[in-house]
């Protein structure tokens, strides 16, 4: 029966990959409910979603306006911030809400924020002015 020989390099590569994976987003800090509120309310977010430049404004009333490059007018929705997440309902302002929620992390090294969801990661930056035009 042939003998299997394991190179001493293999365990080292496994350990290196585990360490790399655990530090890949070391500069990212997950925001809590208060930090997300301070970050978004009354601000305009400029981001990139599915390869398209977007802007979103968060009114103090819970109304949010979202527009992507090429749109003639923004879409309206509701939002809430709770349980360390930003949640939005695009099912219509007066219909029963269907909430989608996202964590927000801050990449301190690059100065970017990210919406994080299941199979979703979208970068954005904050602007203090109301601006939905491109």
């Amino acid at each position: 029966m042939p003998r299997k020989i394991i190179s001493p390099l293999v365990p080292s590569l496994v350990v290196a990959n585990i360490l790399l994976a655990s530090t890949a987003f070391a500069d990212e800090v997950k925001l809590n409910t208060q930090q997300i509120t301070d970050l978004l309310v009354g601000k305009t977010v400029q981001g990139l979603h599915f390869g398209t430049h977007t802007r979103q404004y968060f009114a103090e009333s819970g109304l949010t306006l979202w527009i992507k490059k090429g749109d003639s007018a923004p879409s309206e929705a509701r939002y809430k911030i709770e349980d360390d997440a930003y949640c939005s309902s695009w099912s219509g302002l007066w219909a029963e809400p269907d909430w989608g929620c996202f964590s927000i992390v801050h990449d301190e090294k690059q100065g970017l924020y990210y919406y994080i969801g299941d199979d979703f990661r979208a970068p954005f930056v904050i602007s203090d002015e109301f601006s939905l035009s491109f």
Side-chain angles (χ1 to χ4, degrees):
M1 173 156 51
R3 298 177 99 190
K4 291 184 180 180
I5 299 174
I6 298 176
S7 166
L9 185 58
V10 172
S12 298
L13 288 175
V14 170
V15 170
N17 282 335
I18 291 170
L19 290 174
L20 181 61
S22 68
T23 61
F25 300 111
D27 291 329
E28 289 185 352
V29 174
K30 183 178 177 187
L31 302 180
N32 63 35
T33 300
Q34 187 59 55
Q35 291 168 319
I36 295 170
T37 300
D38 294 344
L39 180 73
L40 296 181
V41 176
K43 309 281 188 347
T44 299
V45 168
Q46 300 177 50
L48 189 64
H49 295 84
F50 304 108
T52 302
H53 187 187
T54 62
R55 292 188 185 222
Q56 184 173 0
Y57 174 73
F58 297 90
E60 290 182 21
S61 66
L63 172 73
T64 185
L65 301 172
W66 184 87
I67 192 167
K68 70 180 184 322
K69 190 169 185 173
D71 286 351
S72 59
S75 299
E76 298 178 353
R78 289 180 281 181
Y79 78 93
K80 62 183 178 179
I81 299 167
E82 62 185 22
D83 299 325
D84 299 335
Y86 149 72
C87 303
S88 58
S89 174
W90 298 92
S91 58
L93 290 177
W94 315 117
E96 185 66 29
D98 180 22
W99 297 102
C101 297
F102 303 90
S103 298
I104 295 182
V105 298
H106 182 209
D107 179 334
E108 295 178 334
K109 187 172 185 178
Q110 294 187 67
L112 295 173
Y113 295 89
Y114 290 90
Y115 295 114
I116 306 290
D118 295 335
D119 298 326
F120 184 79
R121 181 178 175 86
F124 67 92
V125 294
I126 298 294
S127 173
D128 286 331
E129 63 185 39
F130 176 81
S131 175
L132 291 179
S133 61
F134 292 96

